[in-house]
Amino acid sequence: MTPTPSGGSASLLSIDELGADGVARIMDLADHMAEVNRRPNPKVPALRGKTVCNVFFEDSTRTRLSFETAAKRLSADTMTFAASQSSLNKGESLRDTIETIGAMGVDAFVVRHGSSGAPWMIDGWTTASVVNAGDGWHAHPTQGLLDAYTVRTALGRAAGFDGVRIGIVGDVKHSRVARSTAAAFAALGADVVFVAPRTLLPPVPSMPTTEDLDGVLDDLDVLYLLRMQRERMTEALVPSLREYTARFGLTPERAARLADHVLVMHPGPMNRGVEIAVDPSELPGAMITKQVANGIAVRMAVLFDILGGGASLEKGAR
Amino acid sequence: MSLVIRNGTLIDESGERAADVRIADGRVVEVGADVAGDDGDDVIDATECVVSPGFVDLHTHLREPGREEAETIETGSRAAALGGFTAVVAMPNTDPTQDSVEVVEFVRRQGERARLCDVRPSGSITIGRSGEQLTPFAELADVGVTLFTDDGNGVQDPQLMRRALEYASGLDVTLAQHCEVEALTAGAVMHEGECCSHLGLPGWPALAEELMVHRDIELVRLTGAPVHLLHLSTARSVELVRAAKADGLAVTAEATPHHISLTDELLASYQALYKVNPPLRTMADVDAVRGGLADGTIDAIATDHAPHTPESKEQPLDAAPPGMVGLETALGVAIASLDMSLSEIVGAMSWRPARIARIDDEHGRPIAAGEPANLTVFDPGHRWEVVPAELASKSHNTPFVGVPLEGRVRSTILRGELVVNDGRALR
């Protein structure tokens, strides 16, 4: 089995641009990467000689570590540039930063930025590939892909998600995870519903919505809980976290109602006692650590798809 | 020696006719068929062109003093002249603010030094545009300020706005409002709707404009003092103004070239060139604003010319400042976008804004013997596309690249003097 990238895009900025075929292609590649990750020595030379630079303008430990691990398992060289946006404001522009790092010889930038759209601007300034690792409220495509991959493997749905019912619960409005994960699920044919009060939905939601979690809970195959930022109360978006948990949290009562096959997912980090008021390790369908593990395989798939250029995954393996 | 414009079609408030125009000593001296000429006369052949009163821009950001890296009064005046404007109202959000005689006089002097356009400084409504204390309206009116606005921001406090209107009554000045309830637009980057939902950008709801339009209409009803509403952008705002005018209230309004031609979908490019305040809206809003201009609900086309450096516009949308340059493209956008006669378009760019700015003693005048010679000659059928690097404005942040424009200024005459000829600035 020697997958070669076919039609791989030079950059991965959003699920929309990847399209349904692209999502399916990454899923198939991720299967191979998961197999690599199960080996005693989980490393292949596929991206030897390639340099991947993580440029993180916003703090993120887990996504950065996940991309770093993925690049290393493919034998790429990695660099990391971490800067708070405030230090960038002291002088050098975003463009100058990217052009400076690019001049060192970078094949792909993995970009996290607090401003929606920043990876698109960066993509316009560099000939290197750009992987969006999260921009503002907008997109986090590798999270969407790893979530889709987690559902695909857990439910054995390699052929697609037709008939799978997924509820994404919480602060959809401010969530790049919600946008990308909903887009990835929908691209594979799932029925997605956003469960949130009107205040936590975008002005024109891209999916059907409901405010009644209990009304849809019994119909769901996947319960996807979003992180609830504690500062949302001060913006009058919800009256209190207590009320939020009562209406939209996974309480012990709701957990007891879940059928055994229902997957419970969360992008992390969790606010225990807020969106999830039970111990996830006691839930039969909890996927939260699997999501993290699958993140490595999916990010390997993305980097290989973009940078592999026909390299074999098997060459020199083991 | 005089200047003769031959073979043009004259358009002014009295109508449209073919005639030649002779200009001398800063005034129109003769209008008629086959005006005689001397050997030493400068002659403009205006065949297939319109000769109109010079355009008046109610809404220009010249950036000087304070932001000279983006625009100076000289470069902005040159852009204005090239766009056919013989007068511009300079917005007060300079640094320092145009809230004192000293700053206002400085702006006027810089305009006179450039001699490209009649620069009319506005004053702020509140000191430092901070929304707290009234600017000395009478002191500034004494040195010729006729329009006051806190543009860049709206006056948030209704009590303060009421007092400003009451105090300004009788001073023969106009108060102009940037309509934005800021509590509804914190952090907003673009129009609130389907596009912003998809792009993950904070939305600027139409309601934030409409609430203040409504408030100020009611303040006009209460105080009887006139209000000019700047850069209207939503369908509902147009309806509110239409109803206010039907009630006979002293409300006037303007719309920008970009709000009659561009929509929020352009933000999908994530290019800050398309970020502006108020934001680009939907096609339904664009149609409503066009309709407002066509039926006279909206009195004037005003550019909201807002120069910004490339560095500041090359930032992510949330960090980049709002604003677009517009002086040099206004006519071309207006003719290309509006289903209105040339006479109506010229009116919306000339005599109507001249009256709102209270400078109609010199601008927007009929083309007749004895009148001040502030005139524009333009080719209404000329199709063109803007090339940012060729703009005279110091900043090139135009959103109209690739947009077909129709109508281009050939000559601009300021107080009898040719300042633009054949589309080139003469100084």
Side-chain angles (χ1 to χ4, degrees):
Chain A
M1 270 199 293
T2 306
T4 51
S6 55
S9 55
S11 290
L12 175 62
L13 300 177
S14 74
I15 297 290
D16 288 352
E17 292 170 19
L18 197 58
D21 291 349
V23 172
R25 184 178 73 240
I26 300 291
M27 301 285 100
D28 290 342
L29 265 176
D31 275 338
H32 296 289
M33 299 304 174
E35 185 273 314
V36 168
N37 287 340
R38 286 191 294 271
R39 296 176 191 172
N41 175 15
K43 192 158 179 167
V44 288
L47 297 186
R48 189 177 282 161
K50 302 284 187 186
T51 299
V52 175
C53 184
N54 290 313
V55 280
F56 277 57
F57 297 98
E58 192 183 70
D59 292 340
S60 160
T61 308
R62 27 177 88 214
T63 304
R64 188 164 52 78
L65 289 177
S66 182
F67 268 108
E68 232 172 81
T69 306
K72 284 180 172 152
R73 289 192 179 171
L74 294 170
S75 303
D77 295 317
T78 60
M79 304 195 285
T80 296
F81 176 90
S84 65
Q85 273 142 298
S86 59
S87 73
L88 205 70
N89 285 345
K90 282 177 189 158
E92 196 176 48
S93 72
L94 178 59
R95 179 171 190 160
D96 288 341
T97 302
I98 291 300
E99 288 180 348
T100 301
I101 300 171
M104 297 174 189
V106 169
D107 296 292
F109 286 104
V110 174
V111 179
R112 162 68 62 93
H113 201 289
S115 299
S116 297
W120 274 257
M121 306 182 72
I122 290 170
D123 197 39
W125 297 327
T126 177
T127 54
S129 297
V130 176
V131 178
N132 184 359
D135 66 316
W137 303 348
H138 178 229
H140 192 356
T142 58
Q143 179 76 43
L145 292 167
L146 76 88
D147 289 336
Y149 186 68
T150 300
V151 171
R152 166 172 146 140
T153 50
L155 297 183
R157 288 297 209 122
F161 290 2
D162 285 341
V164 177
R165 289 155 301 182
I166 300 175
I168 297 180
V169 185
D171 186 1
V172 175
K173 177 173 180 161
H174 304 93
S175 174
R176 54 187 169 225
V177 172
R179 283 180 179 76
S180 286
T181 293
F185 287 154
L188 293 170
D191 297 322
V192 179
V193 60
F194 290 145
V195 186
R198 189 73 195 80
T199 49
L200 295 179
L201 289 170
V204 183
S206 59
M207 300 288 162
T209 68
T210 178
E211 297 196 358
D212 182 7
L213 177 58
D214 290 314
V216 296
L217 196 60
D218 295 336
D219 301 327
L220 295 178
D221 300 303
V222 177
L223 177 64
Y224 195 105
L225 304 167
L226 295 169
R227 179 178 164 75
M228 181 63 187
Q229 306 278 350
R230 289 174 183 273
E231 65 267 21
R232 299 299 173 219
M233 289 178 304
T234 59
E235 298 165 29
L237 294 165
V238 290
S240 70
L241 291 180
R242 186 186 68 234
E243 180 159 321
Y244 176 82
T245 304
R247 293 186 69 196
F248 301 100
L250 181 56
T251 56
E253 295 73 31
R254 292 194 179 107
R257 279 174 58 194
L258 291 177
D260 279 354
H261 80 278
V262 177
L263 307 181
V264 177
M265 301 176 70
H266 191 293
M270 280 181 287
N271 269 319
R272 294 218 190 197
V274 182
E275 66 267 10
I276 185 155
V278 292
D279 184 348
S281 67
E282 290 172 9
L283 296 170
M287 289 289 116
I288 297 160
T289 52
K290 284 217 173 65
Q291 287 172 272
V292 176
N294 287 337
I296 309 273
V298 165
R299 290 180 174 119
M300 289 167 76
V302 166
L303 290 173
F304 183 74
D305 188 51
I306 287 172
L307 296 177
S312 164
L313 270 179
E314 300 298 310
K315 190 172 65 181
R318 287 199 189 95
Chain B
M1 192 182 112
S2 55
L3 174 64
V4 178
I5 306 171
R6 293 201 184 281
N7 308 320
T9 301
L10 273 48
I11 292 181
D12 63 14
E13 200 169 1
S14 69
E16 195 171 319
R17 65 217 174 270
D20 296 348
V21 181
R22 174 198 286 280
I23 295 158
D25 299 323
R27 294 196 173 264
V28 174
V29 293
E30 191 183 351
V31 177
D34 299 322
V35 163
D38 296 332
D39 286 349
D41 287 345
D42 284 326
V43 176
I44 295 171
D45 180 4
T47 302
E48 297 192 350
C49 286
V50 169
V51 182
S52 79
F55 302 150
V56 173
D57 191 18
L58 285 166
H59 200 143
T60 310
H61 296 276
L62 292 174
R63 302 298 187 214
E64 185 181 354
R67 298 257 306 281
E68 291 83 353
E69 73 281 10
E71 190 83 287
T72 64
I73 290 171
E74 183 188 333
T75 58
S77 295
R78 191 171 293 120
L82 285 162
F85 293 93
T86 54
V88 298
V89 178
M91 288 293 106
N93 59 337
T94 47
D95 184 13
T97 306
Q98 289 167 206
D99 58 10
S100 67
V101 169
E102 291 74 17
V103 177
V104 157
E105 291 283 77
F106 168 79
V107 171
R108 184 196 314 287
R109 275 200 308 278
Q110 290 294 76
E112 285 167 359
R113 206 166 283 157
R115 273 199 305 149
L116 284 154
C117 180
D118 192 353
V119 174
R120 300 287 186 131
S122 64
S124 59
I125 292 175
T126 63
I127 297 289
R129 300 188 312 113
S130 60
E132 287 163 14
Q133 185 186 344
L134 293 181
T135 297
F137 294 158
E139 281 179 26
L140 268 58
D142 280 347
V143 296
V145 175
T146 54
L147 186 141
F148 291 85
T149 177
D150 273 0
D151 183 62
N153 299 94
V155 177
Q156 301 298 304
D157 180 348
Q159 174 75 313
L160 190 141
M161 190 62 198
R162 175 186 179 174
R163 297 250 160 90
L165 285 166
E166 289 174 340
Y167 185 80
S169 310
L171 290 176
D172 204 22
V173 298
T174 301
L175 299 197
Q177 188 72 279
H178 166 112
C179 295
E180 175 181 2
V181 174
E182 290 169 6
L184 289 168
T185 61
V189 164
M190 66 175 293
H191 174 63
E192 180 182 295
E194 193 169 348
C195 286
C196 89
S197 302
H198 185 69
L199 298 174
L201 291 166
W204 200 124
L207 177 70
E209 174 174 307
E210 293 150 4
L211 270 184
M212 196 170 282
V213 167
H214 181 67
R215 183 198 75 179
D216 282 10
I217 286 171
E218 293 309 312
L219 286 172
V220 171
R221 200 188 305 275
L222 180 73
T223 63
V227 163
H228 176 66
L229 302 170
L230 301 166
H231 48 47
L232 292 189
S233 68
T234 83
R236 181 79 187 124
S237 290
V238 178
E239 277 179 44
L240 288 165
V241 173
R242 190 173 285 131
K245 287 192 166 185
D247 288 350
L249 300 179
V251 175
T252 56
E254 66 182 38
T256 69
H258 45 273
H259 287 118
I260 57 172
S261 56
L262 308 177
T263 66
D264 63 340
E265 290 170 7
L266 289 164
L267 275 299
S269 66
Y270 283 110
Q271 293 223 27
L273 275 182
Y274 301 112
K275 182 179 176 184
V276 66
N277 190 8
L280 300 179
R281 307 248 184 224
T282 66
M283 199 62 218
D285 294 303
V286 168
D287 283 338
V289 174
R290 288 173 175 170
L293 275 164
D295 73 6
T297 298
I298 299 175
D299 302 84
I301 295 166
T303 66
D304 196 3
H305 178 82
H308 289 290
T309 60
E311 304 81 66
S312 64
K313 278 293 193 182
E314 212 168 55
Q315 299 183 83
L317 275 170
D318 53 356
M324 307 168 162
V325 294
L327 286 166
E328 294 167 75
T329 47
L331 177 73
V333 174
I335 295 178
S337 307
L338 295 170
D339 189 18
M340 287 164 60
S341 70
L342 281 178
S343 178
E344 290 169 323
I345 289 173
V346 169
M349 295 185 73
S350 175
W351 53 86
R352 291 161 120 205
R355 274 190 202 117
I356 292 166
R358 298 172 191 256
I359 57 173
D360 50 323
D361 53 335
E362 290 187 48
H363 297 274
R365 303 293 303 170
I367 304 173
E371 293 288 351
N374 293 313
L375 300 171
T376 297
V377 180
F378 65 92
D379 178 352
H382 184 98
R383 289 167 192 275
W384 61 295
E385 284 192 13
V386 64
V387 178
E390 292 174 2
L391 290 172
S393 174
K394 200 166 179 179
S395 293
H396 300 160
N397 52 305
T398 173
F400 294 110
V401 174
V403 176
L405 305 180
E406 196 176 339
R408 191 159 193 180
V409 172
R410 292 264 305 276
S411 304
T412 307
I413 295 149
L414 178 69
R415 293 184 210 98
E417 204 182 342
L418 201 54
V419 291
V420 167
N421 198 25
D422 285 332
R424 286 176 211 289
L426 298 185
R427 67 162 64 95

